[in-house]
Amino acid sequence: MSGSKGDRRKERIDRGIKVRSDSVYAISSWKEITYLIAPRLVLILGLALAPLLLSAAPYWQRVVSIICVYSLLAIGFDFLANYVGLVSLGGGFYVGVGAYAAALLNTYFGLPPIITIPMATLLGAIICTVLFLPCLPLRGVYFAIVSLMYPLLAARIIEALDIFGGTDGILGVDGFSNVWLEQYFLILCVLVMVFALRRLVEEDIGLVFRGVKDNDQAVKASGININEFKALGVFIASALGCLGGACLTHMYMWAGLSQFALDFSIIPIAATVVGGGGTLVGPVLGCMILVPVSELLRDFGSLRIAVYSIVLTAFIVFKSEGIMTYAARKYEQFERWVEI
Amino acid sequence: MGSEPLLSVRNVSKKFGGVLALSGVSLDVFTGDIVGIIGPNGSGKTTLVNAITGFIQADTGAVHFKGKDITNWKPHKIAALGLTRTFQVMRPYFSLPAYKNLIVPLFSPRARKTGGWRGGGKMGSRDTVAVDILEEIGFERDSYVPFKMASSLPTGYLKRLELARCLALRPEIIICDEVFSGLSMSEMASMVPLIEKLQMEGITLIMVEHRLRELFRLAGRVVVLNFGCKIAEGTSEEVMEYPEVKEAYFGSEEVYDYV
C-alpha cells in the first residue's frame, strides 16, 4: 500500500440507466426502453438486412445461410457447455442426423421441406438424445472425447454398410422454393432460438441447468435427477443442430457424409470462444466473423487453417472473454481513473 | 424404545481398494433426535454419510428410512424421500445470487409436490419462498444478503445456505456434515440456536462434527467412529467414559490440557 501521489486505479461503474432498467419491467422513459432494446434491434436488423444488402452477390447470400446454420450449432454448443456443463464435440453428428432425416423423409415419403424440417428436427433430436444417454454420467473432457466419436462413427458406419446411399449420399432432395424463403427462415430460426434460450436460462428450469453445471452433487442432494436435465440439455442442443442440418440438406438438395464433418463440431467452438461463451448471442457474432473469414481465405487452401488457428489463439490469449462479453461491459459500465 | 426408528443403518461396510473405510457400522435414529457422529480424521464419518445418502454404494449392509429399504438407492431418490444432507466442502452455485441457489431444490419434484416450504398451499413465486427460507435461517433481508452473489458470501453464510438448500425440500432428516467447521466463534454461537430451532420444528438431525463443545450441547446421543468401526454410543457423558474413545479421540486433548 504505497500512498504515493499519482497512484491510480481503474474503476468500473454501472451506468445509472442500467442499474434502473436491468431486470426491472416497469420502465418509465423512452431513453431506458431504447437503452434496453437497442442492442437487440442491432442484431435483429443486422440479420434481417443482410440478405437484402447482399442480393447482388448470390454467393455471399449463400454464406449468410451458412452463417445461420453454424450459428444454430454454436448456440447449442454454448448452451450445453456454459449452462449445462457438457462440452459436446458432437456438432457434426447433430447436423448429419438432421440432414439424413430430412433427406430420407423427403425422398422416401415425398414430404415437402415445410414438414421435413420440423420433423427432422424433432426426430433427429430424439435419436441424438437416445444415443447420447449412455454418456450422460460422464463429465468434462471425457464427455467431450466420447461425443467426438459419434460423427466419426456415424460416417464410417454409413460408408461401410453402404446404407442411405453410401458414399454418394442421398440425391434428389427438394430445395427451398426460393432463396429468400431459405434465408429468412434460417434467420428467423436463429433469432427465435437466441432469444428463447436467453430467456430459458433465466427461468427456474434454467437455474437447475446452471446448478448442474456448477455443482451436480448439490443438485442430486436436492432430489433432482441430473441425468434427466442433462438429457433435456442434449435434446435442446441437438434439436438446434438437427434443424441446421435439415436446412442444409434442402439448401444443397443433397445429404451426404460431409454433413458429419468435423467442421460442424469445431467451428461452433471457435465461434463461441471468439464471440464470448455464456452469452448465447456471442456465438452468433463469432459465426458472423469466422464463417466469412474462412470463405475469404478459401483461395489460400490449407493455409486457411493456419490463419484460423492464429485468430483463435490470439482471442484466447488476448481477449479470452470474447467480443460479446467485452461489448456488453462497455455498454453497461463506464470506466474512470481514480486516485488512490 | 419400542417404536420403529426413522432411520436404521445395519452393518454397513465399505472398502476403498484395500482400505476398510467402514466395517459393520449400525445406527438407529428416531424422530426428533439430534444424533452426533464424531471421530478422528479419516475415521469414516463422511463415508458413512455418503453411504446413507447414496453418494457411494455400500459393499454390505442395509439402510432403512421410514421403513423403506433405501440401500444403494440413487442420491436424488433418497433426497426426494426426505433424507437430505449438507456437504463438508461447500460449493454453492457460485454464478447465482444466494436466493437463486434455492430455486434448484424448490424446483425438485419433492418440493413441488409438498407445495413449497411449510406447505404454504399453492406455492407462489419460488423467489419469494427462497427469500423467506433464507431469512428464516439467518440471512438479513434488509441488508440484501440474500441477493448477493453466492461467490461473494463468507463461510458462515455459505454453511447456512447449505442448510437452507436442505430445508427447501421440507426434509424429515438433515445430515449436517461439519456445519461448525471453519466458522468464527460468533458465527458458531448463532448457529447453535438455529440447529435447536430446526429440531423444534420437528426435523431430525444427524451431525457429523469436530467441534465437540457445540455438538455436546445439542446432541442427545453421540456415536464415535474410529478406523471405520463404531467404538462407542451413548450420551455425551457416557461416550467420554469409554477408554477406547479416550485413547482414540480425547487422549491427545487431555495431554494437551496438562501441559
Side-chain angles (χ1 to χ4, degrees):
Chain A
M1 282 289 147
S2 68
S4 70
K5 223 175 140 191
D7 270 0
R8 299 193 304 165
R9 70 183 167 86
K10 209 185 236 176
E11 200 174 59
R12 288 195 190 123
I13 299 163
D14 277 5
R15 294 184 202 281
I17 199 164
K18 156 156 166 101
V19 176
R20 276 199 307 283
S21 54
D22 203 27
S23 74
V24 175
Y25 301 109
I27 297 167
S28 51
S29 76
W30 278 108
K31 206 178 160 197
E32 289 173 23
I33 293 172
T34 319
Y35 174 84
L36 281 181
I37 288 182
R40 291 160 174 81
L41 221 55
V42 168
L43 179 74
I44 294 169
L45 287 180
L47 274 174
L49 291 178
L52 288 174
L53 295 175
L54 295 170
S55 57
Y59 176 79
W60 287 99
Q61 257 186 327
R62 177 50 62 81
V63 173
V64 173
S65 304
I66 294 170
I67 289 176
C68 289
V69 170
Y70 276 116
S71 294
L72 287 170
L73 273 171
I75 300 165
F77 172 82
D78 191 22
F79 170 71
L80 213 51
N82 289 306
Y83 291 96
V84 192
L86 294 172
V87 178
S88 163
L89 300 178
F93 186 66
Y94 308 151
V95 170
V97 170
Y100 271 88
L104 290 172
L105 287 170
N106 184 257
T107 51
Y108 278 76
F109 302 101
L111 298 169
I114 194 167
I115 297 173
T116 58
I117 291 175
M119 273 185 76
T121 305
L122 214 63
L123 215 67
I126 292 170
I127 293 170
C128 291
T129 312
V130 169
L131 289 177
F132 268 98
L133 279 181
C135 327
L136 291 182
L138 299 176
R139 282 193 289 188
V141 70
Y142 303 103
F143 184 82
I145 293 168
V146 174
S147 64
L148 184 60
M149 291 280 302
Y150 280 81
L152 301 174
L153 202 64
R156 290 295 89 77
I157 287 174
I158 290 174
E159 199 182 330
L161 299 182
D162 206 21
I163 44 173
F164 308 140
T167 43
D168 294 335
I170 301 169
L171 301 160
V173 180
D174 292 341
F176 284 95
S177 51
N178 74 55
V179 70
W180 299 104
L181 181 72
E182 164 198 318
Q183 306 220 307
Y184 281 103
F185 177 71
L186 272 165
I187 287 170
L188 191 71
C189 285
V190 170
L191 289 174
V192 167
M193 290 306 168
V194 166
F195 290 118
L197 275 183
R198 272 176 79 96
R199 181 76 177 266
L200 177 85
V201 297
E202 296 299 330
E203 294 286 325
D204 288 354
I205 187 168
L207 295 178
V208 179
F209 280 128
R210 293 160 77 171
V212 172
K213 194 221 166 193
D214 276 3
N215 185 355
D216 54 352
Q217 298 289 79
V219 179
K220 278 187 203 165
S222 303
I224 291 175
N225 187 350
I226 60 166
N227 284 340
E228 278 174 18
F229 277 83
K230 283 180 174 178
L232 189 57
V234 170
F235 181 83
I236 292 171
S238 56
L240 288 166
C242 291
L243 175 60
C247 292
L248 212 58
T249 293
H250 288 294
M251 263 160 63
Y252 290 141
M253 297 187 266
W254 170 75
L257 288 180
S258 66
Q259 274 146 343
F260 286 105
L262 284 185
D263 282 14
F264 295 112
S265 299
I266 306 298
I267 292 182
I269 302 174
T272 306
V273 170
V274 170
T279 59
L280 296 172
V281 181
V284 179
L285 227 59
C287 287
M288 285 182 193
I289 295 168
L290 288 181
V291 176
V293 165
S294 90
E295 289 299 325
L296 285 173
L297 294 171
R298 201 167 273 278
D299 301 336
F300 294 94
S302 56
L303 206 60
R304 189 160 71 129
I305 303 297
V307 177
Y308 224 75
S309 317
I310 292 168
V311 170
L312 201 61
T313 315
F315 259 98
I316 290 170
V317 172
F318 297 110
K319 270 273 169 283
S320 57
E321 58 184 1
I323 296 170
M324 189 57 203
T325 320
Y326 177 79
R329 204 180 61 229
K330 289 287 173 199
Y331 189 68
E332 289 169 352
Q333 298 177 321
F334 62 90
E335 287 173 351
R336 66 176 183 196
W337 290 95
V338 287
E339 301 278 340
I340 47 170
Chain B
M1 299 282 186
S3 65
E4 186 93 334
L6 185 59
L7 175 75
S8 113
V9 180
R10 285 281 155 269
N11 272 321
V12 168
S13 298
K14 177 72 191 175
K15 246 184 199 164
F16 292 119
V19 181
L20 195 58
L22 284 177
S23 69
V25 176
S26 299
L27 174 68
D28 281 328
V29 180
F30 295 87
T31 311
D33 275 358
I34 296 185
V35 175
I37 299 177
I38 61 172
N41 284 330
S43 58
K45 305 186 294 294
T46 299
T47 310
L48 178 61
V49 174
N50 284 341
I52 293 173
T53 52
F55 280 85
I56 59 169
Q57 307 275 301
D59 295 335
T60 61
V63 182
H64 288 264
F65 175 57
K66 293 196 289 190
K68 267 195 186 123
D69 185 357
I70 59 163
T71 319
N72 296 341
W73 275 25
K74 288 262 168 15
H76 66 89
K77 281 194 170 165
I78 294 175
L81 262 190
L83 172 55
T84 62
R85 65 170 296 184
T86 70
F87 288 94
Q88 188 175 355
V89 182
M90 304 147 296
R91 280 199 303 145
Y93 312 124
F94 282 116
S95 61
L96 301 176
Y99 78 105
K100 288 283 188 192
N101 269 261
L102 296 193
I103 303 296
V104 177
L106 287 174
F107 197 82
S108 70
R110 177 181 170 86
R112 281 190 288 182
K113 204 160 56 196
T114 52
W117 195 49
R118 291 189 161 168
K122 190 176 166 293
M123 184 156 46
S125 152
R126 292 197 181 90
D127 291 356
T128 327
V129 181
V131 176
D132 285 347
I133 296 171
L134 285 179
E135 193 169 29
E136 194 79 12
I137 205 136
F139 280 61
E140 299 85 355
R141 191 194 287 243
D142 297 338
S143 63
Y144 302 105
V145 195
F147 307 102
K148 285 196 175 132
M149 291 304 275
S151 51
S152 68
L153 289 175
T155 319
Y157 283 113
L158 290 181
K159 293 275 184 194
R160 282 156 197 266
L161 194 57
E162 281 278 308
L163 274 177
R165 181 171 53 68
C166 295
L167 271 184
L169 287 174
R170 305 215 310 136
E172 275 146 84
I173 299 187
I174 300 180
I175 305 182
C176 306
D177 201 348
E178 301 203 5
V179 280
F180 288 117
S181 69
L183 297 189
S184 70
M185 281 319 208
S186 65
E187 281 170 336
M188 252 185 277
S190 62
M191 190 65 99
V192 173
L194 188 68
I195 302 280
E196 280 168 343
K197 195 168 85 182
L198 295 182
Q199 188 192 20
M200 300 272 278
E201 284 172 5
I203 296 170
T204 308
L205 288 132
I206 300 173
M207 303 190 65
V208 174
E209 210 45 73
H210 271 303
R211 295 291 311 184
L212 301 182
R213 193 188 305 268
E214 283 75 20
L215 182 73
F216 288 169
R217 264 183 66 186
L218 290 165
R221 197 150 51 86
V222 177
V223 172
V224 190
L225 294 181
N226 198 16
F227 297 114
C229 303
K230 186 165 89 173
I231 55 174
E233 181 172 0
T235 63
S236 50
E237 293 83 11
E238 281 167 18
V239 294
M240 298 258 270
E241 298 307 316
Y242 278 85
E244 299 95 326
V245 175
K246 281 183 180 167
E247 192 188 314
Y249 208 96
F250 305 107
S252 59
E253 207 164 276
E254 273 179 9
V255 172
Y256 183 76
D257 279 347
Y258 287 126
V259 173

